[in-house]
Amino acid sequence: MTPPSPDTIYFYAQTDPYAEFSNFAPYGVCFEDIWWPTVEHYFQAMKFHDAAYRTRIRRCQKPKDAKALGMTRKVPLRADWEEVKDDIMYAAVLCKFRTHGAPRQLLLGTGDAPLVENAPMDAYWGCGPDGLGLNKLGRILMRVRGELAEDAAALKR
Ligand SMILES: Nc1c(N[C@@H]2O[C@H](COP(=O)(O)O)[C@@H](O)[C@H]2O)[nH]c(=O)[nH]c1=O
């Protein structure tokens, strides 16, 4: 990844600005009539075909607990996870921002600013320890921002 520009917006912890952009933020999503407390709960549960284990993840009090259950390899990971995980994340993040007005307005208000998940240990979804990670979550947020701007423009037509 190229180095960040000066107007880059970083997000990660729930105690930092733009916490609403994190998958740990308390904005639920609904898929197939089932409500998930956060994007993180949904994303972690989708790693597994085991319905009971998915439910266990959904019932976690906190997203960090959902993530911990999702990190286990005692329950088999679905075989196609690496192929489907980006699409699952995109669908969940889009659903979150279409469902909840407050984070949607915050996201639309960032204009064209680059968005980066400042995750120190994650060079896939975030920028990783050296800041040069793939930042897939930030990229998804920028794509979702474009979709939301189109939604808003269509409403005005
Ligand atoms: N925000 C945030 C994290 N980042 C989130 O972790 C998820 C990646 O999970 P996995 O693909 O299983 O490694 C993804 O949703 C990413 O945004 N991790 C944390 O431990 N704490 C946090 O506050």
Side-chain angles (χ1 to χ4, degrees), residues 41 44-45 48 53-60 66 69-70:
H41 284 75
Q44 295 297 339
F48 307 98
Y53 199 67
R54 283 185 174 187
T55 300
R56 205 175 140 195
I57 292 176
R58 184 166 56 82
R59 290 184 177 154
C60 282
L69 289 186

Side-chain angles (χ1 to χ4, degrees), residues 24-138:
F24 282 41
Y27 298 105
V29 288
C30 188
F31 287 95
E32 294 172 2
D33 287 337
I34 295 173
W35 182 257
W36 301 83
T38 67
V39 167
E40 193 67 17
H41 284 75
Y42 177 73
F43 176 77
Q44 295 297 339
M46 290 306 107
K47 290 179 174 177
F48 307 98
H49 285 306
D50 182 329
Y53 199 67
R54 283 185 174 187
T55 300
R56 205 175 140 195
I57 292 176
R58 184 166 56 82
R59 290 184 177 154
C60 282
Q61 286 294 316
K62 294 184 175 163
K64 80 169 173 35
D65 302 330
K67 180 165 179 171
L69 289 186
M71 301 303 278
T72 186
R73 294 297 169 262
K74 288 180 191 157
V75 180
L77 200 65
R78 59 192 279 183
D80 62 351
W81 180 243
E82 288 305 313
E83 288 94 80
V84 301
K85 67 181 184 181
D86 288 11
D87 288 346
I88 288 173
M89 184 68 92
Y90 172 72
V93 172
L94 182 62
C95 178
K96 167 184 162 182
F97 285 90
R98 283 208 167 128
T99 305
H100 303 280
R104 181 168 63 245
Q105 292 314 318
L106 188 69
L107 183 59
L108 285 168
T110 62
D112 292 329
L115 305 175
V116 175
E117 192 195 34
N118 198 11
M121 305 302 287
D122 189 344
Y124 185 81
W125 297 112
C127 65
D130 62 1
L132 301 174
L134 292 173
N135 186 36
K136 290 268 186 178
L137 181 61

